[in-house]
Amino acid sequence: MNLKKVNQLVEGKVVAGEEFLNREIKAAYGADLLSDVLAFTESNTLLLTGLVNSQVVRTAEMLDLSGIVVVRGKIETVEDHTLELAEECNITIIATEKTMFESCGILFHHGLKPCGYAN
Amino acid sequence: METLKVVWQVEKMDFTRAGEGSSKIKKMLHQFSIRPDIMRRVAIISYEAEVNLVIHSFGGVLQGEVFPDKVVVTAKDKGPGIEDLSKAMKAGFSTAPLEVRELGFGAGMGLPNIKRSADKLDLQSSEEEGTELVATVYLS
């Protein structure tokens, strides 16, 4: 699945890194704790999170994550600094009105796997 | 000229810049065509160590250095020291304040993540000297 498809499925809005929507993702992980992300994700993973601060992009940069879906309608609260950093680090951010549970459910239903099951 | 070492000053509670040092270390490793899995382990170590400096220390220095056979990440701070080292190494144990947890930190996985990602970890901490963490990842 690529990021474009993810954006369609969660009925999202691309707020950073629009040029990377063709990027393929292998798996997804949902968390609001960044150390959990650092402990459990693989590279080329999609991160679903309720966090909007720039550290979520730093974490994605460190792990070579494919993209970030910000859940629960936080489009307005994604900090400018977060968006700038995402552009600088070539990371796509998709914002959706859907909750974490619903977003994960939709993507899982369409065949996206959790980390550890992708291969 | 190729850089072999990044030395980065980390300020207490500066969350806006947290991770910049780790980003520089990662970019340095890119120059040496280091294996992605190794680069990733170093990135996890340096980022967790840098965030630890921001959250828990009075400020300190993060350093990443490339040797022919290994990468060494060092984080040295001015205190206050880790009260109970064995507790701090346990997954889920955290002393991070509430406002830090709201930013997504304080899962209690920092030091466990570092330990898991490093081939060798030396951690010295005292109230007088502060904390020094030295993590080594071998290149082969």
Side-chain angles (χ1 to χ4, degrees), chain A residues 32-36 38-43 51 53-56 58-65 81 88, chain B residues 15-20 22-23 26-27 40 43-44 46-48 51 102-107 109-110 113 116:
Chain A
D32 285 352
L33 288 172
L34 293 174
S35 269
D36 278 355
L38 288 160
F40 297 113
T41 58
E42 302 151 0
S43 51
L51 295 169
N53 60 72
S54 60
Q55 292 308 315
V56 74
R58 278 287 176 220
T59 303
E61 182 200 5
M62 288 302 128
L63 295 172
D64 301 314
L65 302 184
H81 182 63
E88 192 186 310
Chain B
F15 282 99
T16 315
R17 302 194 68 190
E20 273 185 36
S22 302
S23 179
K26 196 177 179 200
K27 282 179 183 129
R40 190 181 155 83
I44 291 171
S46 65
Y47 185 54
E48 290 281 20
V51 168
E102 281 168 1
L103 292 169
F105 298 109
M109 293 299 286
N113 274 353
R116 191 176 45 89

Side-chain angles (χ1 to χ4, degrees), chain B residues 4 7 15 29 39 44 46 48 87 92 102 118-119 130 137 139:
Chain B
L4 290 164
V7 181
F15 282 99
L29 298 186
M39 212 150 63
I44 291 171
S46 65
E48 290 281 20
K87 265 192 187 167
E102 281 168 1
D119 289 314
V137 178
L139 295 177

Side-chain angles (χ1 to χ4, degrees), chain A residues 57-87:
Chain A
V57 178
R58 278 287 176 220
T59 303
E61 182 200 5
M62 288 302 128
L63 295 172
D64 301 314
L65 302 184
S66 299
I68 299 165
V69 174
V70 175
V71 299
R72 301 196 291 271
K74 291 192 174 177
I75 302 172
E76 302 302 329
T77 49
V78 178
E79 295 167 8
D80 288 344
H81 182 63
T82 307
L83 297 178
E84 284 160 21
L85 193 62
E87 296 289 357

Side-chain angles (χ1 to χ4, degrees), chain B residues 49-83:
Chain B
E50 188 172 1
V51 168
N52 274 348
L53 287 178
V54 173
I55 297 174
H56 298 290
S57 83
F58 300 142
V61 174
L62 176 77
Q63 183 180 302
E65 195 168 6
V66 182
F67 295 90
D69 60 332
K70 64 190 175 186
V71 179
V72 178
V73 176
T74 309
K76 189 165 172 41
D77 67 41
K78 302 174 226 164
I82 299 170
E83 201 175 306

